[in-house]
C-alpha cells in the first residue's frame, strides 16, 4: 500500500450502509423537496442510450464468476486509481500474466479507502450493497471472506444477467458495436421468445474513419468483407459504410458514436475526396492528407445521418494511450486516456452550416472539457434544433461535475436541449447505481431551484421526469 | 412543439407569482441577511452604462403595440431557444415574411415551459408580472386572451416609454451608437424641457475598425460624410474618428464600445500604419494585412481614450453569424453568435504596456469565456488601475453564472475592481428585471460571505451599494 | 483613494474580531461537523513543503521592525491591489526612492476596506489579530496609533522569528534557494544546538535552465564558480547541476522547484544536446534553439529526479513581468505576473512516458489555470503513481478557489493523490493564517460530503488528517 494513507484499523469491518438520502442537499427543507422529486420518478424504468455492455452477456446469460472479474479488472476507473497508488496492472488482472481474481480482490479491498470521495466509490458502494447484498466495507482483513460471499451469491439464479436486467428495470440498453460486427447477439436476443428486453446496437466506425492509423487499411479490408462491397475506392467505402448502417438500423440501431480526437468535419467535392482517398489508401500521402481524409469521412457520416436519421453521438477530446509502454503491455482502455482542451464553435461549423437545421439530422455532443459547456455547447444547443447537449461524461460523470454541468448549461439552453443521462458503462451491474446517482443529482439541482423560487415544484417534477425519460428517448430517437 | 417536452395540461392557467425572495439563499439565516441587504439598496436608482435600447423610443415616446413585438421578436435570447425547439424564425416575426404578432405570441406561449431554468424566464416572468400586470403563466390555451390583455394594457398612458423610464427609476441610460450617427434623438431629448432623464450615447466603431470586412470601404465613406473629413488616408481616417468622438463627447458620451473578435491591438509607427492603410484601402493587400490594420485601429482607439478620457469597453470573443444561411435570410443578431475561447494576458499587453498606468486611460473588459475570470482578468484588474472587470455578460448574464463570476474574481481583485452590472439589453422593459436579478445575486453572494463570517453585514451593505451605484459610475465615468 | 469606494466613517475604529467559525459552512448541522473535524486536527503541527521565507530570518533571529515592512512592502498580493487602486509602488516602500514605513502603513490602512472579500484580507485579519494582538480594523484615522502599537509589540522577545516558529508549531519549513547558494543559513541553523526546528532548502534552478534569457550566460558562470565545474560544455553544465543537487540533498533538500513558462521537456540524444548547447552558449543560435535547450535541461532535471529522488515541483503557466516599465523601476515580483492558459496532457507526456511509473520519480504539479484541474491534472494523477496534484496556488490560494479545486479533482483522483497544502509565502507571519484557512476549507468541504452522506465522519476525519500531514510529507518526501 502507498505510504501516507490511513486505512481504518484492520480486523473490524465497518458497516456498509449507503444512506437513503445520499447526494441530496443537506438542508432539511431543500432535502425534503429533493426527496419528493426523486420519489416522483421512482416508477421510471432505466433508459440507457449509450454504453459498453457486451451483448453476449445477455445473449448467453452465463453467471458472473467472482467479484474481481465483475467489479475490478474490467473497470478502468477502478484500475487506474489503484495503479496510481502503486498496484501494478497485472496485479489487477490485466495483461498476459494476470494475477488470479482472489489476489486482485485482496488488492482492491486493501485500497478501498483510497476511493473515498470518488464517483467510483459511490457506484461501488451501491453495487456491493444493493446488488450483491454486502453489508460491510471492504478492507484487507475481510477480503477473503467477501470474495467467497460474493462468489457464492453470483452463482444464484437471480444474479444472472437476464434476471438482473429485469430487476434493474431497464427499458432499453444500447451497446457499442463495430460496423463489421454481424450483430449475432442482438439478433439472437431479438429472436428469443423468452427475452422481453430491448438491446440495440450502436454504429461505432472510428476504426474506419481514422485514416491516420496504421490499422486503417486492415479495417477497410474487414469492412469490405462484412459488406461484400469493395473498399478500394472512395465511392466503394462510402457505399460499404452506408450498407452497414442500413444493416445496423435493420437490427434496431438508432445512433452512431464517434470518438475522434476532435469534431471537425470536411466536405470536399466527390472527385477531390476520391483523389485524396486514393492517395492515402495507396500509401502515397502523408499524415496531413490522412487527417483531411478522416475529417472528410466524418463529414460523410454527418451527411448519412441527415439521410438515414441515425443520431450522431460525438464523444471527442481525449488523447488515448498516454503512456505507450502501458498500452504495449496491457492494451488500450487501461486508464491513461487523458483529456485535452476541446473546441466546438469552429469545429462543428462545417457540419452545422450544412445540416444544423436539417429536419432529420441530430447530434448529441459530449465533452470532457467542461469549459466548453457554458462557452460553446449551451449556445450551440440553444440555437440549432439538431444539437443536443450530452450528459457530463467519463471524468465528469460524477456528482459535483454533474452539478457544474447543469449550472453551466441550463441558464442558456434550458433543460430540454440536454440529452439526459448516459451511463457509458462497461460494468453491467453498475447501471442502476449510475442512473441513481444522476437522478439524485438532478433532483438535488431542481430542489435547489425550487427552494430559491426559480421554479415551482410541479414544474420541477415534470422536468425531472423529462430528463430521465423523454429527453434521452428524443435525443437518441429511441 | 418539439417532442419530448411536458407542457402542463392546457386549459388551466397556472398562476404567475414571482416570489419576493426568489434567487436569495434557501437557508433561513442566510436568506434573512440577503433580504436585509437587498432592502438596504431599495432606494438606489438604476444605472445602466451599457445597452442597446433605441434612443428613438424615448425621443418619440410612442406606445408599444403588442406583446410579441415587445417581448419576443426583438429578443434574440428568446427567439434562439424557440428556434432550437423547432419554431422557424419567420414564425417569430423575423425576416422578409414574418408571421403576424398574434401568431408569434401563440408560438411563444405554447413553448413557455421550455424556458424553465433559463435567465430569460426570470426576466420574462418579472416583466409580465411587474410591468404588464399579468397574473397567469402563458400557455397555448391562454395565448389569445393574454395577447389581447397585454395589447390593451400597452395602450395606457402609464405604459409609454417615458412614463416607464420614470417608473423604473432609471438614473442614466447609455445607448450604443454608430459613429456616423447624428445623435438626433439624444439631442432631441436633451433639448426637451419636459424630459428629466439622462440618455447618453456610446461610440461603437466596430464597422470602421474591422478592415477585414467587405463593408469596411463603405463604412469609411459614411464616416467621411458624417465628419466632413476625407477618409482616403490613414491620417484622415484617424482625424475623422477623433472628430466623431468629440461630437459624441459633446453629446454626453463617456465610453466607446468594441466588439472585435479579440482584444489585441497593434502600435505601428505612423508611416508604417499609413502604408498599411493605403494597401488595404486600395485593395492591394490580403487578409493578414487587413487584420493587422484592424489591430492598429484598435490601438488608436486606446490612444484616443488615454487622451479624451472616453472609457474603452471591450466586448470580445464571439464568432458572429455561425449559421450563414440564417444570416442571409434573417440578418445578424438572430441567435447564432457563438462564443470562442478568449485570451487577454497576451492580447491586452500592448495596450497596457502603453496605457495601463496612464491616469486618463480606463478600460472595462467583458468576456463570455468564464475561464479567463480567475486566470487572467482578475489578476489584470488586480494590478492595473486602468482595468475594470466587466459584469458577466450575454450568456453569462444569469444567476448561477453571476455567482461563479463573483466567486472567481473577488478573492483576487476584491469587489472594487469590478464595474458593477450592465444590462446590455435591447428590451427596454427588461431593464428593471435584469437589474433586480443582479442585485439579488450580489445580495445572496454577500449574505453567504456574512454567514461564513468572511465579512460583517455593515461592510456587506456598503459593498452592495458600491456595486450598484459607485462602481458603474466610476468605471464608466458617468 | 480611488473614487467609488466606501470607507467606513473615519475616527471610529471598527473592532477586529475574526470569528472562530469563519469559512465553515453556514448551515448549523454542517458547521457542527466541520467544527468537529477542524478540532480533530488541532494537534497537528504545520508542514510547509514550499515557500519563500528567507532562511536568514531564522538564522539571525533579528526582530521585525514595523508593520509596513512586515505586512505590506514584501507582499505582492497586497501591493498589487493597492497599486490597482492608484497607490504608486514607491508609496508602498518599493523601488529606489521608497516612502518611509509609516507612510506606507498609512496608505495601507486608508485602503483596508478595498481588501474585503480577498484572500489577503483573511490572512491579514488573522495576522493582525492572532499574531500581533490588534483588536481594531485599520483605517485612515487609526493608522499612526496602530503603527506605534505594532512596532512596540514587534520589539518583544516573543515576537522574534525563532520564538514565532515555535509558537506557530511548525514541524518543517522548506525555503526556495538558488543552486549557487552556499546554504550558509541552513547550515548555521543545523549546527546550532539551541535550534530545534527544521528548515530545508529547495533547489530552484530556473535561471540555469532558461537558455532564452539574457541572464543565462552569467547564471552558468555563477554555477561554475559554485560547483567548481566548468559549465562551458553541456556535459559540464549537467555535472555541475548534479553536484549542486547533491550539495542541496546533503543539506536536507527533498525537492526541486520549477517556474518555467510551461512543463514541456525534451530528451535529445547526448550528442545532439551537446551540439545545441554549444550553439546557444556561443550565441550562434536563435530563440527557437534556446527554447529547445531549455526544454532539454528541464528533461535532465526529470532524469536527475528519477535518479536522486528529489521531488520535482512544477509551478508553471505564468507570464512574468507583464508591465515592463514597472519591472524596470521596481524589479520583479511586483504584482504583474499574470497567468496564461496552461496545458499538461501533451506537455508532460515526454517526461511521463520515461519516468511516469519510475519508482523514484515524483512530481507535484501546480497550476493557476483551474480549467486543467478536472480536464488534465486529476486524470494524470489518477493514473501515474509519480504525479501528485499540487494545492491551488497563488491566485487560487483562496477559500472559494480551494473549494473549486477539491470539487474538481477529488471525484476523479480521490484525496490521496493530492499533495496537501503549500503556503508559498514570503511572509513568515502569514504561515499559520494560510494553513488555518486551508484547514478550514478542507474541513468545510469534508463536512459537506458527510452531510450529503457521501462519506462518514470518521472517514472524513482520517482524510483531513492525511491532507495536512501525511500527504504533504509523502508528496515532498519530507
Amino acid at each position: 500500500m502507498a505510504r501516507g494513507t490511513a486505512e481504518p484499523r484492520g480486523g473490524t469491518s465497518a458497516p456498509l450502509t449507503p444512506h437513503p438520502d445520499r447526494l441530496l442537499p443537506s438542508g432539511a427543507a431543500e432535502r425534503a423537496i429533493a426527496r419528493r422529486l426523486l420519489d416522483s420518478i421512482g416508477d421510471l424504468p432505466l433508459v440507457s442510450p449509450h454504453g459498453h455492455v457486451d451483448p453476449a452477456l445477455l445473449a448467453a446469460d452465463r453467471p458472473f464468476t467472482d467479484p474481481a472479474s465483475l467489479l475490478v479488472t474490467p473497470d478502468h476507473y477502478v484500475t487506474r486509481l489503484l495503479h496510481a497508488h502503486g498496484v501494478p496492472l497485472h496485479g489487477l488482472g490485466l495483461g498476459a500474466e494476470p494475477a488470479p481474481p482472489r489476489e486482485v480482490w485482496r488488492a482492491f479491498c486493501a485500497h478501498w479507502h483510497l476511493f473515498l470521495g470518488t464517483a467510483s466509490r459511490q457506484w461501488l458502494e451501491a453495487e456491493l450493497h444493493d446488488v450483491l447484498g454486502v453489508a460491510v466495507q471492504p478492507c484487507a482483513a475481510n477480503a477473503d471472506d467477501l470474495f467467497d460471499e460474493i462468489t457464492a451469491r453470483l452463482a444464484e439464479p437471480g444474479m444472472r444477467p437476464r434476471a438482473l436486467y429485469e430487476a434493474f428495470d431497464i427499458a432499453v440498453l444500447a451497446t457499442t458495436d463495430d460496423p463489421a460486427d454481424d450483430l449475432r447477439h442482438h439478433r439472437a436476443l431479438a429472436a428469443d421468445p423468452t427475452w422481453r428486453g430491448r438491446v440495440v446496437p450502436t454504429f461505432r466506425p472510428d476504426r474506419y474513419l481514422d485514416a491516420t492509423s496504421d490499422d486503417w487499411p486492415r479495417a477497410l479490408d474487414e469492412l469490405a468483407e462484412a459488406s461484400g462491397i469493395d473498399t478500394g475506392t472512395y465511392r466503394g467505402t462510402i457505399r460499404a459504410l452506408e450498407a452497414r448502417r442500413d444493416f445496423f438500423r435493420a437490427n434496431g440501431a438508432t445512433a452512431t458514436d464517434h470518438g475522434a480526437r476532435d469534431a471537425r468535419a470536411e466536405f470536399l467535392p466527390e472527385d477531390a475526396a476520391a483523389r485524396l482517398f486514393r492517395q492515402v489508401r495507396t500509401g502515397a500521402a502523408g499524415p496531413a492528407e490522412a487527417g483531411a481524409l478522416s475529417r472528410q469521412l466524418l463529414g460523410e457520416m454527418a451527411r448519412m445521418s441527415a439521410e438515414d436519421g441515425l443520431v450522431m453521438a460525438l464523444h471527442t477530446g481525449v488523447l488515448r494511450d498516454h503512456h505507450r509502454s502501458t498500452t504495449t503491455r496491457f492494451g488500450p482502455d487501461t486508464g491513461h486516456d487523458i483529456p485535452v482542451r476541446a473546441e466546438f464553435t469552429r469545429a462543428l461549423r462545417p457540419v452545422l452550416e450544412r445540416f444544423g437545421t436539417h429536419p432529420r439530422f441530430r447530434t448529441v455532443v459530449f465533452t470532457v472539457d467542461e469549459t466548453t459547456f457554458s462557452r460553446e455547447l449551451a449556445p450551440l444547443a440553444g440555437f440549432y434544433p439538431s444539437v443536443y447537449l450530452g450528459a457530463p461524461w467519463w471524468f465528469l460523470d460524477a456528482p459535483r461535475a454533474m452539478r457544474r454541468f447543469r449550472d453551466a448549461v441550463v441558464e442558456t439552453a434550458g433543460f430540454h436541449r440536454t440529452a439526459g443521462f448516459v451511463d457509458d458503462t462497461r460494468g453491467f451491474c453498475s447501471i442502476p447505481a449510475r442512473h441513481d446517482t444522476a437522478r439524485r443529482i438532478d433532483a438535488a439541482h431542481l430542489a435547489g431551484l425550487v427552494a430559491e423560487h426559480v421554479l415551482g415544484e410541479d414544474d420541477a417534477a415534470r422536468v425531472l421526469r423529462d430528463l430521465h425519460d423523454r429527453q434521452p428517448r428524443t435525443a437518441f430517437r429511441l
Side-chain angles (χ1 to χ4, degrees), chain A:
Chain A
M1 186 179 357
R3 272 160 309 152
T5 64
E7 200 199 355
R9 289 156 307 283
T12 39
S13 298
L16 176 63
T17 51
H19 194 283
D21 287 342
R22 65 188 177 279
L23 298 176
L24 301 188
S26 63
E30 220 166 307
R31 176 171 295 184
I33 301 167
R35 184 77 257 168
R36 286 194 298 272
L37 291 173
L38 189 59
D39 290 345
S40 78
I41 58 163
D43 63 304
L44 277 184
L46 306 185
V47 176
S48 178
H50 173 77
H52 300 277
V53 168
D54 183 352
L57 188 81
L58 289 156
D61 201 31
R62 285 200 206 88
F64 298 106
T65 57
D66 66 87
S69 311
L70 179 66
L71 301 175
V72 182
T73 302
D75 185 343
H76 61 72
Y77 288 68
V78 171
T79 55
R80 69 173 175 76
L81 197 53
L82 293 172
H83 179 264
H85 282 287
V87 186
L89 291 180
H90 63 82
L92 296 166
L94 293 163
E97 296 180 50
R102 186 176 290 272
E103 277 178 35
V104 172
W105 183 249
R106 283 179 189 150
F108 170 75
C109 291
H111 292 82
W112 173 245
H113 60 291
L114 298 172
F115 287 91
L116 279 170
T118 64
S120 294
R121 170 84 176 217
Q122 291 288 309
W123 300 326
L124 288 165
E125 287 197 4
E127 283 178 75
L128 288 169
H129 184 271
D130 299 346
V131 180
L132 300 171
V134 172
V136 295
Q137 305 272 2
C139 65
N142 66 21
D144 278 350
D145 287 352
L146 274 184
F147 187 89
D148 295 335
E149 176 188 329
I150 297 171
T151 300
R153 178 108 166 99
L154 289 171
E156 295 172 11
M159 297 302 289
R160 291 220 179 168
R162 291 194 183 189
L164 288 174
Y165 183 100
E166 300 251 330
F168 294 166
D169 195 16
I170 299 174
V172 55
L173 178 71
T175 62
T176 303
D177 308 274
D178 192 289
D181 194 293
D182 61 10
L183 303 181
R184 73 180 69 181
H185 303 299
H186 295 86
R187 288 185 287 136
L189 284 167
D192 183 344
T194 69
W195 167 246
R196 289 187 304 274
R198 182 179 173 205
V199 178
V200 301
T202 303
F203 188 83
R204 171 85 174 234
D206 292 350
R207 287 180 66 211
Y208 307 93
L209 309 187
D210 182 6
T212 69
S213 160
D214 293 343
D215 176 52
W216 187 64
R218 194 174 40 164
L220 287 206
D221 292 347
E222 288 175 35
L223 180 63
E225 193 179 321
S227 65
I229 299 173
D230 178 22
T231 58
T233 65
Y234 184 69
R235 182 145 195 83
T237 300
I238 297 305
R239 281 186 42 234
L241 287 165
E242 286 170 340
R244 297 309 294 168
R245 289 172 69 108
D246 288 345
F247 176 71
F248 269 61
R249 283 173 60 224
N251 284 285
T254 69
T256 68
D257 188 59
H258 302 271
R261 187 75 57 78
D262 67 64
R264 177 170 291 276
E266 228 161 281
F267 294 91
L268 301 170
E270 164 112 21
D271 56 344
R275 210 161 38 236
L276 184 64
F277 181 91
R278 204 158 45 237
Q279 290 171 338
V280 179
R281 187 75 159 118
T282 59
E289 285 79 15
L293 179 59
S294 303
R295 293 193 294 276
Q296 173 72 14
L297 291 170
L298 192 66
E300 290 280 10
M301 287 290 123
R303 192 263 307 157
M304 291 178 205
S305 276
E307 289 173 11
D308 66 18
L310 287 179
V311 175
M312 190 174 194
L314 291 169
H315 288 88
T316 58
V318 178
L319 179 64
R320 307 273 170 178
D321 300 324
H322 195 266
H323 194 245
R324 276 173 275 223
S325 66
T326 293
T327 309
T328 305
R329 283 188 63 197
F330 298 102
D333 297 324
T334 40
H336 47 104
D337 297 341
I338 311 288
V340 291
R341 207 183 283 148
E343 199 282 331
F344 292 101
T345 300
R346 291 189 177 97
L348 286 177
R349 200 177 193 190
V351 163
L352 294 178
E353 289 226 306
R354 272 160 195 80
F355 306 117
T357 58
H358 189 287
R360 287 182 70 75
F361 181 70
R362 190 165 295 173
T363 182
V364 184
V365 187
F366 296 83
T367 189
V368 272
D369 179 355
E370 49 185 315
T371 69
T372 61
F373 285 146
S374 74
R375 188 180 61 218
E376 304 177 30
L377 293 182
L380 287 166
F383 174 75
Y384 288 103
S386 58
V387 178
Y388 280 78
L389 261 162
W393 163 61
W394 201 336
F395 296 105
L396 302 179
D397 177 12
R400 305 241 165 160
M402 287 172 168
R403 286 190 216 172
R404 293 196 297 275
F405 168 75
R406 290 277 171 222
D407 281 343
V409 308
V410 167
E411 293 181 327
T412 288
F415 292 99
H416 292 89
R417 302 300 308 148
T418 64
F421 180 64
V422 157
D423 57 64
D424 190 37
T425 189
R426 286 159 211 283
F428 181 62
C429 289
S430 75
I431 291 175
R434 288 171 187 249
H435 282 262
D436 177 66
T437 296
R439 290 179 175 197
R440 288 172 184 275
I441 295 304
D442 283 334
H445 178 258
L446 285 159
L449 294 177
V450 171
E452 289 177 8
H453 306 292
V454 170
L455 42 75
E457 192 169 330
D458 283 1
D459 278 333
R462 276 188 289 264
V463 167
L464 184 61
R465 183 163 285 265
D466 285 350
L467 289 180
H468 290 275
D469 189 28
R470 293 192 190 176
Q471 291 306 116
R473 290 183 192 271
T474 303
F476 286 91
R477 294 203 164 113
L478 282 169

